[in-house]
Amino acid sequence: MKKSILGTIIILFLCQWLCLAQKKEAFPLKVGAAKVDVTPSNQPTPPATGKYDHERAYVRAIVLDNGATRAALISLEGSGLDDLSWTSLYKQLTNELNCPVENIIIAMSHSHSVGDSRPPVGAQGAATTNPLSPLVGNVMDAVRQAKAKLQPARMGFGKGMSYLNVSRDAIDSDTRKWTQAANLDGWSDKSVDVIKFEAPDGKPIAVYMNYGIHPINAYALNVFSVDIPGAACRYIEKAFNDDIIVAFSQGSVGDQNPLYLRPSTNAMASRGDLKITGYELNREKAEGSLRMDSNTQLGSTPLKPVDAKVLDDLFRFIDSEGQILGEEVIRIMTVTRKLTEDVYIAGQERVVSCPGRKRINGDKMGAAREGVEGVYEDGPNVSMKLGALGIGTIAILRADGEIFSYIGLRLKEESPLTNTMVVSFANLGRGMGYYIPYDAAYGFQTMEVLDSPIKEGCAEQSIVNNMIDMVTEYLGK
């Protein structure tokens, strides 16, 4: 009897050891990539200029296969899907790729001038015969094309810097109240993280890039643009004669704006009553009246079109920002020479709950959205969907909300893997993300903090603890 028990224990131990060994074993990597044009045909106007690459939107997919499992890195140039579309998309993706949903990252660019991606609605407010967003089919097309192109590959991780972003939480020099403006002393992750995939002969296949910046240049202008993310991706792709797919993901973007906003505020001023002086206009004054009027949303009747010359100046500037960010990515690709052909792949996902709150004295669209004390009542708990995808010596951490920069910096600092990337606004389940401030930021009377549905004292440490735990478990420590 004792021998039988001992034998069972040994067998169980061996099975556990073999399963762990199999999980950690590296296998030859294959990669395929593709993109699908998803520029809507029902834009409120024709393309604003028709001259710039950021006037077209794409879904991009990078599929990984190591023989044991698959993974997918998907990038959508937009802001959100409805819950039904997300549920259907996850199911279709796991069936198509034959991999767990934990191995799939769907990153939204969060470009404010792309508009929402929910399904069309009929005249009486009822959904059309197809209740799903057309993006579901677009994503599946891109993934199937990428899967069909799987080829032997190797990969490497590189890191650079870009100073296009800045903390957007500042004290107004005139009112001495919190406002949306460049704060050069605030937390800001300047790093540009890049995963390069290439064929064994060195021919590039795909790039997965990550940078934290709010694409708000063309916000509230009633024009279509995928903004800086789209401009950067197309710039890099064209540099390689479109033989490469470049997928963008947002970093810890919650409190990060573009550093330079003059062309954007000028464009807003041309729609309203502010005089264009040559100097950068106050963002809140330029944006406020347009933001609060329901007619500014894509697909609605515009109050006043943007001045054509001012708009072209803005679109040319967006193109320039994409070139600058794109050149940094190309530089990183060039110096990233430590590549591997054998990787192990494993993903994890956790749902973490924090106490919730509901603001009752203003909202992020209104006149009292910041610079005032927030008044709250208890709200439902907020569930944060967190994930970690390990690919060899690389960890891609994701959250479905907009993580503040300080949290992202903590994650990179405390991660057991040096090659750690942090993706915000990923794998959403509520149609739109929400702001996730760090604990000390709860003293700021800024729009992101006041509007966050999460009570102070929970999110920062919960995210750090759980994400670091997932990386540690991936490493088997």
Side-chain angles (χ1 to χ4, degrees), residues 251-264:
S252 44
V253 68
D255 52 353
Q256 302 298 298
N257 261 3
L259 172 60
Y260 304 111
L261 288 174
R262 190 184 75 91
S264 177

Side-chain angles (χ1 to χ4, degrees), residues 160-241:
M161 303 283 282
S162 177
Y163 288 83
L164 290 173
N165 65 355
V166 70
S167 169
R168 67 180 184 182
D169 296 338
I171 298 293
D172 188 284
S173 58
D174 296 325
T175 66
R176 306 308 301 165
K177 294 182 178 181
W178 286 97
T179 190
Q180 184 181 183
N183 178 3
L184 275 68
D185 296 321
W187 291 105
S188 185
D189 186 355
K190 305 297 184 185
S191 60
V192 181
D193 296 331
V194 172
I195 304 175
K196 178 176 76 170
F197 302 96
E198 65 178 34
D201 63 2
K203 183 178 180 180
I205 299 172
V207 163
Y208 191 69
M209 62 176 290
N210 179 264
Y211 186 63
I213 188 168
H214 261 93
I216 58 168
N217 280 300
Y219 175 53
L221 297 181
N222 204 38
V223 296
F224 185 90
S225 168
V226 292
D227 217 301
I228 300 171
C233 289
R234 287 300 295 136
Y235 181 77
I236 302 165
E237 289 172 344
K238 291 172 73 173
F240 290 90
N241 297 315

